[in-house]
Amino acid sequence: MPDVLSAPLVVEFPFTRSLGPVQSAFLTGLRERTVLGVRTGDGKILVPPVEYDPVTAEEIHDLVEVAATGTVTTWAWNPRPRRDQPLDTPFAWVLVRLDGADTALLHVLDAPGPEAVRTGMRVRVRWAEARTGAITDIACFEPHESEPGEPVPHEGEFADPVTGIVTPARLDYTYTPGRAQSAYLEALEGRRVVGERCPSCRKVYVPPRGACPTCGVATDERVEVGPRGTVTTYCVVNIKAKNLDIEVPYVYAHIALDGADLALHARIGGIPYDQVRMGLRVEPVWTEGSRHPDHYRPTGEPDADYDVYKELV
Amino acid sequence: MRDVAIVAFAQTDHLRRTDELSEVEMLMPVLHQVLDTTGLRTSDIGFTCSGSSDYLAGRAFSFTMALDGVGAHPPISESHVEMDGAWALYEAWVKIQTGEADTALVYAYGKSSPGQVRDVLTRQLDPYYTAPLWPDSVALAALQAQALIDAGDTDEAALAALAARSREAASDNPHAQLSGAVPAGDYLVRPLRTGDCPPIGDGAAAVILAAGDTARALCERPAWIRGIDHRIEAHGLGVRELTESPSTRLAAERAGVFERPVDTAELHAPFSSQEVVLRKALGLDDRVRVNPSGGALAANPLMAAGLIRLGEAAARIHRGESDRALAHATSGPCLQQNLVAVLEGESTHA
């Protein structure tokens, strides 16, 4: 059993989202230090506002301005802030019902400790210094004694409204490929390609993923395949990929390595793109410091007979 | 309506890490176990449905890799839900009700160990107002717990006792990740201590469903699904009354829970405080044995833990330890989505 391989894997994406009229007004309002809610058909005021009544599903858009002060309806003390949370010192998560609203907004409360927080306490918005039209324009809430105010109608009209937001998301993983793929990757380091044979149907899968997709059982017997193989099918790539230093057009092919019962895919080099053909015999070309073959090139052997590889197309 | 039963159930031992296994490698033993139990082969299965999440795996279309484990070539009738396998079971049940299949294989798996699950789960929240604040799963459960304490529904000592009872029950469950005397621990997010929170781990589960006489042929005492329903609540946490679970209540009504008493309830309550909410919504009293498996506080492999509740309830019926059991699964923050099923052994259906 080889040591388990692992590698950091970061999934990061800036989600770009458009806002409808209600969310646009709310987030633009935050930029202008104004908190807007929306009135439902039965007169309830929802803050934060939504475009559809969560009870009746009726479309709603009557905006009202509520106060930047409110009351904590429930809370939870977070002794160890996590990355990307609004404050980097211990804080309370809070649901706050702003004065004039009938629902509560989730945010955080800056307080010295849990003993300073209770349900029912009065708070107010602390605005972020740099505001862009996002929920984080509210930096946090802070304790503040004040008398509740009344909501007032608001047109929701602002100069230069925010119509979209970008919400970055980053998640960090430690990827472990499992037994079969670990063995495959370790063999590649020695410039060998190994597959695994199904104990039931005897087919050799490469790269092995640990299971035979026909029999649904674990593949168990390790088999070295290649290095030579046969092009079973291919395509000509005419569009240059970003950050990829390969001249177009080039050929990407399915290659059945000798001894394998499943074709893997790789680029074909060392031959003009328009001379690549099904049945072409190829071998891997390794480059220094790379885990995978850089590409496959013709061996010069006669082409393989179609009947030999037709099951693998 | 066709009579449909759970006829086999298997689960992995749930572990903090399974670095040496890929998802399909983790999953295959439970698939083989349910097939061996029934004597079915993959080619005999009418419909296959799975539950898992790309956000746990950290890559797109991750469920397609797991399909190798069910023998998906030549082509099979297959579907997937990007959520707990309990909802995959619901889809399979519907498929059998349509008459398009007589048997179904349902499986679910999740490896939480590669990522930071508290952060991963923030990605299921409203992306405009909530997710940008990165409120982690424990924080949201803690808000609900404090609301329950403020309402006088529970207190920290009662929550600790509830968690202790669950893990004590798990002493009889060889698959559990945490069992026996587990310390209440420090506050993770107050008022929830580590003991109030589920273990983070990896695991998989599988069940086989069958209709009518097929079920009777495959299993000595099938666990008949007498009713199943699932409901959802508003995504805005501040819109919901966090001390109540109207979606659980409604799903239970539609599933027929309240027609006759149940003797067992397998509740999917990853946090101790959530059991308080669910007991209230379901009207469970001390006559009902709640979570004899230890529940999600003993093992919470994400995406499989709900299906395991259905499987555990069914297994008790298979063994003759229950005649009428309730199974519940949840998904989303603070019990946002809830599925309830009623399972019965044959003798009580005279």
Side-chain angles (χ1 to χ4, degrees):
Chain A
M1 177 92 189
D3 286 341
V4 174
L5 295 177
S6 72
L9 170 68
V10 178
V11 177
E12 193 166 21
F13 199 81
F15 286 95
T16 305
R17 301 182 183 278
S18 54
L19 304 169
V22 172
Q23 295 188 125
S24 171
F26 175 67
L27 292 178
T28 309
L30 294 184
R31 191 189 67 196
E32 307 302 324
R33 300 182 185 230
T34 299
V35 186
L36 299 181
V38 67
R39 194 186 301 272
T40 67
D42 62 0
K44 278 199 170 152
I45 292 172
L46 309 181
V47 180
V50 291
E51 290 137 323
Y52 295 90
D53 186 319
V55 177
T56 65
E58 179 192 10
E59 188 173 352
I60 47 179
H61 40 69
D62 291 339
L63 297 170
V64 293
E65 181 177 353
V66 299
T69 55
T71 304
V72 170
T73 63
T74 186
W75 61 284
W77 184 257
N78 183 18
R80 282 175 296 279
R82 302 172 74 78
R83 187 183 75 195
D84 298 325
Q85 291 180 346
L87 295 173
D88 56 14
T89 51
F91 62 83
W93 290 102
V94 282
L95 280 169
V96 176
R97 190 168 56 236
L98 291 170
D99 296 330
D102 292 293
T103 61
L105 172 81
L106 178 77
H107 220 290
V108 306
L109 172 70
D110 187 9
E115 60 289 337
V117 188
R118 60 184 170 78
T119 297
M121 76 183 287
R122 298 282 299 159
V123 295
R124 73 174 169 195
V125 169
R126 181 191 296 165
W127 296 104
E129 283 186 20
R131 295 182 306 282
T132 60
I135 192 66
T136 46
D137 288 353
I138 298 175
C140 61
F141 282 86
E142 58 191 15
H144 178 74
E145 289 296 335
S146 63
E147 291 303 313
E150 290 294 314
V152 293
H154 194 287
E155 292 299 316
E157 302 280 342
F158 296 96
D160 188 23
V162 177
T163 58
I165 57 170
V166 177
T167 57
R170 176 189 166 127
L171 295 171
D172 287 68
Y173 301 88
T174 302
Y175 181 70
T176 57
R179 176 195 57 81
Q181 293 184 87
S182 288
Y184 173 75
L185 291 168
E186 290 194 338
L188 281 180
E189 206 150 39
R191 299 195 170 182
R192 293 180 301 114
V193 178
V194 298
E196 284 189 347
R197 191 187 302 278
C198 171
S200 176
C201 70
R202 308 300 295 161
K203 280 188 175 170
V204 173
Y205 292 95
V206 55
R209 292 202 297 260
C212 172
T214 301
C215 306
V217 299
T219 51
D220 56 354
E221 181 191 339
R222 201 162 300 158
V223 180
E224 186 159 342
V225 297
R228 293 185 167 188
T230 302
V231 172
T232 62
T233 185
Y234 65 94
C235 65
V236 180
V237 179
N238 285 289
I239 295 173
K240 197 170 164 63
K242 198 176 168 185
N243 302 328
L244 193 63
D245 189 25
I246 299 171
E247 285 306 311
V248 292
Y250 65 87
V251 170
Y252 209 66
H254 276 194
I255 299 164
L257 293 180
D258 295 346
D261 292 292
L262 188 73
L264 47 69
H265 43 88
R267 183 168 63 89
I268 303 296
I271 181 173
Y273 73 90
D274 56 359
Q275 291 179 26
V276 175
R277 55 204 179 263
M278 290 170 72
L280 181 69
R281 295 283 296 159
V282 293
E283 64 189 3
V285 177
W286 298 84
T287 51
E288 204 57 46
S290 171
R291 246 189 193 280
H292 292 272
D294 180 71
H295 63 274
Y296 284 73
R297 70 181 171 207
T299 64
E301 295 167 276
D303 285 3
D305 190 43
Y306 178 67
D307 283 341
V308 174
Y309 64 86
K310 66 180 182 186
E311 298 294 327
L312 303 179
V313 175
Chain B
M1 296 284 274
R2 301 181 79 188
D3 284 339
V4 177
I6 296 175
V7 296
F9 167 58
Q11 61 183 316
T12 56
D13 291 345
H14 307 296
L15 303 169
R16 179 62 188 89
R17 317 196 65 85
T18 53
D19 291 348
E20 73 287 5
L21 299 174
S22 66
E23 279 97 342
V24 69
E25 289 166 342
M26 181 174 73
L27 182 60
M28 259 187 303
V30 297
L31 297 173
H32 295 164
Q33 203 180 327
V34 289
L35 290 167
D36 290 348
T37 303
T38 54
L40 295 171
R41 290 167 305 173
T42 50
S43 55
D44 300 324
I45 298 291
F47 181 59
T48 298
C49 198
S50 62
S52 67
S53 170
D54 281 354
Y55 277 83
L56 285 179
R59 61 183 193 279
F61 293 98
S62 56
F63 75 94
T64 59
M65 309 293 269
L67 273 175
D68 286 348
V70 297
H73 180 83
I76 59 170
S77 173
E78 182 271 343
S79 186
H80 174 258
V81 297
E82 190 70 16
M83 54 196 306
D84 191 288
W87 278 264
L89 183 146
Y90 185 89
E91 182 177 336
W93 177 82
V94 170
K95 190 81 168 182
I96 294 175
Q97 290 300 337
T98 65
E100 288 188 34
D102 292 326
T103 56
L105 171 64
V106 179
Y107 64 90
Y109 63 93
K111 288 182 73 169
S112 296
S113 59
Q116 295 290 321
V117 74
R118 288 172 68 182
D119 299 331
V120 169
L121 288 174
T122 64
R123 300 301 92 191
Q124 70 181 334
L125 303 169
D126 149 48
Y128 297 96
Y129 302 155
T130 313
L133 304 173
W134 291 82
D136 61 279
S137 47
V138 180
L140 296 176
L143 286 168
Q144 186 173 35
Q146 184 63 45
L148 288 163
I149 291 170
D150 288 335
D153 287 339
T154 191
D155 56 36
E156 289 189 32
L159 294 178
L162 190 157
R165 189 218 72 227
S166 291
R167 286 170 183 137
E168 190 54 45
S171 299
D172 295 331
N173 178 355
H175 304 287
Q177 188 177 336
L178 282 185
S179 63
V182 173
D186 295 331
Y187 287 120
L188 216 46
V189 180
R190 185 172 173 170
L192 294 180
R193 297 172 182 273
T194 51
D196 292 304
C197 302
I200 296 170
D202 302 348
V207 305
I208 288 179
L209 301 182
D213 287 341
T214 306
R216 290 182 191 94
L218 295 174
C219 179
E220 200 169 315
R221 192 169 193 249
W224 298 102
I225 300 171
R226 295 301 180 207
I228 184 167
D229 195 87
H230 64 94
R231 299 283 156 166
I232 185 169
E233 295 174 37
H235 68 259
L237 286 169
V239 172
R240 291 163 51 191
E241 176 55 69
L242 294 180
T243 59
E244 308 285 342
S245 184
S247 54
T248 299
R249 177 85 191 176
L250 185 56
E253 276 173 19
R254 299 300 172 103
V257 169
F258 304 120
E259 290 166 13
R260 281 193 310 286
V262 295
D263 55 44
T264 304
E266 277 286 341
L267 304 181
H268 186 194
F271 296 93
S272 59
S273 43
Q274 294 179 340
E275 185 178 312
V276 177
V277 179
L278 293 171
R279 278 176 174 268
K280 193 163 55 159
L282 294 166
L284 302 178
D285 59 29
D286 291 342
R287 285 171 294 184
V288 180
R289 179 122 197 246
V290 173
N291 286 351
S293 66
L297 283 165
N300 190 40
L302 288 184
M303 304 301 138
L307 181 63
I308 290 170
R309 304 282 73 75
L310 286 144
E312 288 280 7
R316 287 185 74 77
I317 289 171
H318 295 161
R319 295 193 298 262
E321 294 166 5
S322 169
D323 291 322
R324 191 167 197 266
L326 179 158
H328 161 267
T330 195
S331 184
C334 301
L335 302 170
Q336 188 190 2
Q337 304 163 52
N338 295 284
L339 179 149
V340 177
V342 177
L343 305 176
E344 285 182 359
E346 189 96 85
S347 57
T348 62
H349 190 58

